[in-house]
Amino acid sequence: MENLILIVALIANLLVITVGLGVQIYKNYKAKSASHLSLILYIFSFCGWVSWAAYGFIKGDWFLMILQSLGALTTSIVLVQFFIYRKLK
């Protein structure tokens, strides 16, 4: 049962990181704007990803470290887009 939960969590995380955030990054890039997104939501999301990655590091849990770091990386790309595209206007 624990392995099933781990697999479901892995798939869910990868879908959020690749499909959810990946599509958002692409849409922002095409529109050259991120003004339609909530900056505070992405800041809190980034903090959550980083916190879980740090927890995984403390616990020595590679699953948490790697997946949460990928989430932090993709969320940080959206945050960078906020500031890059804001300056273009």
Side-chain angles (χ1 to χ4, degrees), residues 39-70:
L39 177 60
I40 195 75
L41 173 68
Y42 279 90
I43 290 172
F44 287 153
S45 178
F46 176 77
C47 292
W49 290 107
V50 170
S51 297
W52 276 106
Y55 178 74
F57 181 75
I58 290 168
K59 292 293 187 180
D61 186 336
W62 288 98
F63 177 79
L64 284 176
M65 279 188 275
I66 293 170
L67 283 176
Q68 303 306 314
S69 294
L70 287 173

Side-chain angles (χ1 to χ4, degrees), residues 3-77:
N3 287 338
L4 177 63
I5 293 170
L6 188 65
I7 291 169
V8 170
L10 172 69
I11 292 169
N13 264 301
L14 288 175
L15 286 173
V16 168
I17 293 166
T18 58
V19 177
L21 290 170
V23 168
Q24 189 60 63
I25 290 166
Y26 179 73
K27 284 183 174 184
N28 295 346
Y29 174 75
K30 292 297 277 185
K32 300 291 187 235
S33 173
S35 62
H36 56 285
L37 301 176
S38 169
L39 177 60
I40 195 75
L41 173 68
Y42 279 90
I43 290 172
F44 287 153
S45 178
F46 176 77
C47 292
W49 290 107
V50 170
S51 297
W52 276 106
Y55 178 74
F57 181 75
I58 290 168
K59 292 293 187 180
D61 186 336
W62 288 98
F63 177 79
L64 284 176
M65 279 188 275
I66 293 170
L67 283 176
Q68 303 306 314
S69 294
L70 287 173
L73 175 67
T74 53
T75 304
S76 68
I77 292 170

